[in-house]
Amino acid sequence: MNVNCILLRYGELSLKGKNKKDFEERLVRNIRQKLEHFAGIKVSKHFGRLFIELGDNPADPIIEECKDVFGLVGFSPAMRVQTDLEVIKEAALRLLQSQGDQVKTFKVGCKRADKRFPIGSQEMNQLVGGHLLANSHSHYKVDVRNPDLFVHVEIRSMEDTYIYGNDIPGLGGLPVGTSGRVLLLLSGGIDSPVAGYLALKRGVELHAIHFHSYPFTSERAKQKVMDLAQQLTRFGGKIRLHVVPFTEIQTEINKHCYESYTITIMRRFMLRIAEAVAKKNSALALVTGESLGQVASQTLESMTAINAVTHMPILRPVVGWDKTEIIDISKEIDTYETSILPYEDCCTIFTPKAPKTRPDVEVCERLETKLNVEQLVQEAVEGVEVIDFFPQKEEEVSFF
């Protein structure tokens, strides 16, 4: 089978009406960026279809890259051939024969986008299918309901016809960068990288923020988070990580607040700082890995007390998921092994023996009068370290 292109499909984008063109253009741009290290690749759009012209590149490594692009629901390696009946039949035969012993049954499906072609779709199905049966091994059979191989014949114009087999599934979702910018609260745990991945699936541009309490948390704990941010670039392209110095704030909280309220007060500070960093970087929402009821700070009462310090939207992609479901996704996206490395983050080192599961907002506000909240938040924001991560590249470091 002489594959010379890959046919790409998108799902939700087709429903975008007047904005469809913007989504398509962003998807094409994302694909080009993903494939920029392949020489001679060309990505083009024709009549609701996207194509990758392979040049001299093999299809398999390019397909592997496309599997990580949000917005694509499927793709197929294809042969672009002359729109001629005999040429089409021979190309379909090569496709079938290339499958080897993996295929016992097949079905032919023809789409005639260009109605100038004189043979109708049903007749094409019969002509191509008959040619396959007459010129291939006797063990091949037609199965119109559940074939091993669906032989697609797509007549796009009087010049070009595309022959391809079964669809390879993509991630779906929306192209990254079409839904605005968000700021992910990225810990070193399992949940927040999954939340970031799911936010990317809805088309956001992702920044991340991490709270680092050196020397209570080690440099290895920070490196673990940096590694997670790097892993997410596989799906989101460039990701900017904001590392917040959090030691003084945690020290003050533990000095002046009830032990049972320390987690709640700490999370309220995190949201204040995250909101300030988000606004400074034109992010429109915060994203967390909170799952309802999973830990003390993730009860509805805790979320209410913590949310009270911000008016910024908070997105919680895994709020209704159990731990097993979150772990399954983390394994699929290859963040699990990094997340379980035994380096504690600032949320675990000061965990009280009996955290308050139903904190009172008024009690939180009274405890915070003992702290110089505004100054602590301002100093933390001013001390943020910014690290940019790029797919398959070394990170570049800059500072505010």
Side-chain angles (χ1 to χ4, degrees), residues 22 50 63 76 91 95 103 110 180 211 220 237 308 311 317 327 356 364 391 396:
D22 295 336
L50 299 180
I63 288 173
S76 301
L95 170 61
V103 168
C110 178
F211 298 87
R220 287 187 175 183
H311 296 293
I327 288 173
K356 195 74 172 178
C364 293
E396 297 179 0

Side-chain angles (χ1 to χ4, degrees), residues 37 74 85 97 101 110 138 154 175 189 196 222 234 237 259 267 274 281 284 296 307 320 325-327 342 369 389 400:
H37 55 287
L85 177 59
Q97 292 174 339
D101 296 333
C110 178
S138 59
E154 193 165 317
K222 177 182 173 182
R234 170 184 161 192
E259 182 185 12
R267 297 286 293 178
N281 289 272
L284 301 176
N307 289 6
E325 292 172 313
I326 298 171
I327 288 173
T369 61
F389 295 89
F400 275 120

